[in-house]
């Protein structure tokens, strides 16, 4: 069930999802950490949380006051569900708030971006320098005819200029549309055509695992079929020879020389669109999620501050690519709004070896590290020797986002990377929510491995049945948000009807598409996407818990579980498993793993089949594409969109793999 996909609940068992996970470890916040934290106790969290729900206008009004408005908001919220408008009547500029606002303080000469290229070059941009680059690029955009409201496509690697380009767009009120630099020409073309961008900012190439990704050549191919594009600006990164069409294509380094650094930020309405970001979903046509200025700004500012407990002297490293929402909200906007120092790394985590990220943490003195479970499971597979080689003593906080983190991976992260000393914040949110929705606050919330714990301020989250009634404790159901929040998406570009479906699946509330349960303490445990839910002999099971049981076995590095039609049981379980080094893919091991699931989850959940694979098909942001596995498990051909798949050869290998 994916909201906006036109699927309905009728295809599913009407009730709830069964939970079988038994995880009872609790980690209270570290006393020393709490002493210095923004939020120091559960009492403080609860008091503020209650205030945020009881008097949202006062709460969000105060949060907005922390930022600069050219004209203050007249009204905090106009709730016209499914639509909502925030900070109405206010005018602001997010680039001004990320940059100019800091220039009159000591932050002026503080590092905004520390950058390292994959081959090893380094650059530092202070707030003053970043401001200057953004002003100049804003002038370039203007000179090339970009007006307030025009869409600008950004298809670049992880270089500081990707942030410069986004902030320059924001400065002149031109919504940006970032396309992840790993997408192929067709995906680039479709996104540009859907958004009708008039200008594309790109690079000649970018470095990835020692190879050059030919970004400009891909853009050339894409825009041959994009009538809206009038200009491209090409940042020279790798020095590739690229095709430059006179009049259309301009080198960044040349056009930037022809402008000055005087640029007045354009005050825009709070509801002025800030960006479009396409989210693949797991099926169908990508949706252009639209975020607006004021609410997104307030949401990313306040969540960055409290969830990461940002302090003035932190070095903050989020490993996400800027091409994803995590990169938008927690590489660029959230940290810069807080005047933080952000480390940005261009390349692959295992280049030249599997120690690269830990090397970076050591050399830059990283204090806050934010990554995804898929990466954590890769680190586990690569082995403890890599992080052990580096001095990680500067780290003080670890974060996770993107998928349910299985308790096993959580414990490993906490023990090996955090040296059992750093709080782990498992943050649940979505492209659509713009900012973190469920998360521990590190100085206050006792954490439980595998749980995203409790809602952030102002977020009224709940777990309900199909009919909207609240689930009992530990009864799995649908994760919903019961009232608007500032950083929520405002529409799907060009398709508001599809947007409204988020609010009609369960009437009156926002349906996330995720399954979850709340435990006796009210903690949230995510169970995976509801459209991946399995129905085995009358038991409705989320994928996350079965996968977590598999990964709990020492032979297993990663697992994905799907159902295939079964006359007797409704669905039988098929488990795709990648093994840790040193374990052989034997028939005996298959039996052992099937037994392991049966003993952890229950006899009824004994897998029909365990299949070994060298790799699992993932989206480019690291999410397992269970839809494709389902098709393989069912013996059919894989159909539908595979443009979001990271590595097509994985599919062929899976089909060819033994399946006795
Ligand atoms: C999943 C990424 C469990 C979830 C910010 C959600 C998670 C989807 C978590 C959004 C988490 C994200 N625990 N599941 N901490 N974080 N998800 O749009 O299924 O790329 O709906 O946004 O990722 O993915 P998106």
């Amino acid at each position: 069930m994916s909201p906006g996909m036109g699927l309905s609940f009728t295809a599913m068992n009407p009730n709830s999802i069964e939970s079988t996970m038994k995880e009872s470890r609790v980690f209270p916040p570290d006393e020393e950490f709490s002493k210095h934290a923004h939020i120091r106790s559960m009492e403080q969290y609860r008091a503020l949380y209650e205030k945020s729900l009881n008097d949202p206008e006062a709460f969000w009004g105060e949060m907005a006051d922390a930022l600069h408005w050219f004209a203050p908001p007249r009204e905090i919220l106009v709730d016209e569900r499914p639509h909502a408008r925030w900070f109405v009547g206010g005018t602001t500029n997010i680039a001004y708030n990320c940059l100019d606002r800091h220039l009159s303080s000591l932050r002026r000469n503080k590092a905004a971006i520390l950058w390292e290229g994959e081959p090893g070059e380094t650059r530092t941009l202070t707030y003053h320098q970043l401001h200057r680059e953004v002003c100049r690029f804003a002038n370039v955009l203007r000179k090339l005819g970009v007006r307030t409201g025009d869409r600008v496509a950004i298809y670049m690697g992880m270089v500081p200029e990707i942030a410069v380009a986004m902030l320059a767009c924001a400065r002149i009120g031109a919504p940006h549309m970032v396309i992840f630099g790993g997408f192929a020409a067709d995906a680039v073309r479709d996104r540009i055509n859907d958004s009708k961008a008039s200008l594309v900012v790109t690079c000649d190439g970018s470095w990835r695992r020692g190879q050059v990704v030919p970004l400009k050549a891909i853009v050339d191919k894409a825009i041959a079929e994009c009538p809206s594009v009038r200009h491209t600006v090409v940042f020279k990164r790798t020095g590739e020879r690229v095709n430059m069409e006179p009049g259309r294509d301009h080198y960044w380094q040349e056009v930037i020389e022809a402008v000055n650094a005087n640029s007045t930020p354009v005050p825009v309405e709070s509801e002025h669109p800030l960006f479009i970001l396409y989210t693949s979903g797991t099926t169908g046509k990508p949706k252009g999620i639209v975020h607006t200025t004021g609410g997104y700004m307030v949401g990313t500012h306040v969540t960055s501050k409290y969830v990461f407990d940002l302090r003035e002297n932190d070095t903050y490293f989020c490993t996400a690519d800027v091409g994803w929402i995590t990169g938008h909200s927690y590489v660029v906007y959230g940290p810069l709004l807080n005047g933080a120092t952000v480390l940005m790394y261009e390349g692959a985590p295992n280049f030249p070896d599997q120690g690269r990220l830990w090397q970076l943490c050591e050399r830059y003195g990283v204090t806050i590290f934010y990554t995804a479970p898929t990466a954590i499971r890769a680190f586990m597979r690569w082995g403890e020797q890599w992080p052990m080689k580096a001095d990680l003593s500067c780290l003080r906080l670890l974060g996770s986002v993107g998928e349910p983190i299985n308790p096993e991976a959580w414990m490993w992260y906490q023990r090996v990377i955090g040296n059992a000393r750093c709080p782990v914040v498992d943050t649940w949110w979505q492209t659509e929510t713009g900012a973190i929705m469920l998360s521990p606050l590190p100085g206050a919330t006792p954490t439980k491995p595998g749980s995203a714990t409790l809602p952030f301020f102002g977020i009224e989250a709940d777990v309900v049945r199909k009919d909207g009634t609240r689930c009992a404790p530990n009864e799995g159901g649908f994760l919903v948000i019961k009232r608007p929040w500032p950083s929520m998406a405002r529409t799907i570009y060009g398709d508001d009807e599809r947007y409204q479906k988020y609010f009609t699946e369960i009437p009156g509330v926002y349906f996330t598409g995720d399954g979850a349960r709340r435990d006796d303490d009210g903690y949230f445990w995510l169970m995976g996407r509801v459209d991946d839910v399995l129905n085995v002999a009358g038991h409705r099971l989320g994928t996350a818990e079965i996968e977590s049981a598999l990964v709990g076995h020492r032979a297993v590095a990663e697992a994905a579980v799907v159902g295939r039609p079964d006359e007797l049981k409704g669905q039988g379980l098929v488990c795709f498993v990648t093994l840790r080094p040193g374990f052989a893919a034997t028939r005996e091991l298959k039996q052992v793993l099937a037994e392991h699931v049966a003993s952890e989850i229950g006899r009824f959940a004994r897998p029909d089949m365990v299949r070994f694979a060298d790799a699992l098909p993932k989206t480019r942001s690291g999410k397992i594409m269970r839809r494709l596995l389902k098709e393989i498990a069912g013996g059919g051909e894989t159909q539908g969109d595979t443009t979001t798949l990271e590595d097509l050869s994985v599919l062929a290998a899976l089909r060819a793999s033994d399946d006795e």
Side-chain angles (χ1 to χ4, degrees), residues 325-326 401-404 426-432 514 526 529 623:
I325 191 67
T326 305
V401 58
E403 281 179 288
D426 173 13
T427 63
W428 178 90
W429 59 294
Q430 310 176 296
T431 304
E432 292 87 337
D514 283 0
L526 276 296
R529 300 291 297 169
K623 292 195 213 307

Side-chain angles (χ1 to χ4, degrees), residues 407-425:
E408 197 64 22
W410 194 103
M411 290 300 300
W412 188 91
Y413 195 33
Q414 195 261 6
R415 177 177 61 83
V416 178
I417 307 303
N419 199 17
R421 171 175 65 67
C422 303
V424 174
V425 293

Side-chain angles (χ1 to χ4, degrees), residues 354-560:
Q354 284 95 323
R356 185 63 183 268
L357 296 184
W358 317 125
Q359 278 289 316
L360 285 163
C361 286
E362 171 176 331
R363 278 189 285 110
Y364 293 88
V366 170
T367 57
I368 301 174
F369 182 76
Y370 190 31
T371 195
T374 181
I376 297 168
R377 288 189 296 264
F379 304 151
M380 292 169 73
R381 191 177 188 179
W382 295 339
E384 289 182 25
Q385 68 273 21
W386 295 105
M388 299 285 262
K389 272 192 219 168
D391 176 1
L392 300 180
S393 57
C394 284
L395 285 174
R396 65 179 197 92
L397 177 74
L398 302 175
S400 170
V401 58
E403 281 179 288
I405 179 166
N406 46 296
E408 197 64 22
W410 194 103
M411 290 300 300
W412 188 91
Y413 195 33
Q414 195 261 6
R415 177 177 61 83
V416 178
I417 307 303
N419 199 17
R421 171 175 65 67
C422 303
V424 174
V425 293
D426 173 13
T427 63
W428 178 90
W429 59 294
Q430 310 176 296
T431 304
E432 292 87 337
T433 70
I436 293 167
M437 304 290 276
L438 304 175
S439 171
L441 297 183
T445 318
T447 51
K448 305 183 187 186
S451 170
T453 73
L454 297 166
F456 190 75
F457 304 129
I459 306 304
E460 194 186 348
D462 207 351
V463 177
V464 301
R465 305 186 185 105
K466 174 196 162 190
D467 61 9
T469 56
R470 170 179 270 175
C471 287
N474 293 314
E475 177 185 345
F478 308 103
L479 177 63
V480 298
I481 314 294
K482 292 183 145 171
R483 60 167 83 185
W485 65 100
S487 64
M488 66 195 280
R490 298 302 197 264
T491 188
I492 289 172
Y493 193 76
D495 195 352
D496 194 64
E497 230 168 87
R498 200 170 171 195
Y499 171 79
Q500 296 183 23
K501 292 200 173 127
Y502 286 101
F503 296 84
T504 50
E505 302 277 8
I506 300 174
V509 298
Y510 171 83
F511 177 43
T512 63
D514 283 0
R517 74 179 159 99
R518 296 184 82 168
D519 67 16
D520 293 317
D521 298 324
Y523 276 41
F524 287 81
W525 297 76
L526 276 296
M527 301 168 83
R529 300 291 297 169
V530 172
D531 44 354
D532 293 330
V533 159
L534 306 157
N535 193 337
V536 185
H539 302 273
R540 284 170 41 77
L541 303 169
T543 50
E545 293 187 350
I546 305 168
E547 288 161 6
S548 175
L550 279 163
V551 181
H553 190 281
R554 63 198 177 91
V556 177
E558 194 151 43

Side-chain angles (χ1 to χ4, degrees), residues 5 14 19 62 91 144 154 168 183 198 215 241 269 273 328 333 351 361 402 438 493 568 592 655:
M5 291 304 168
S19 172
E62 262 170 53
T91 60
L144 292 174
I154 299 175
F183 275 126
S198 61
L215 295 174
R241 266 183 78 97
E269 295 287 332
H328 280 56
Y333 288 114
F351 188 87
C361 286
L438 304 175
Y493 193 76
L568 276 182
V592 169
R655 268 194 228 102

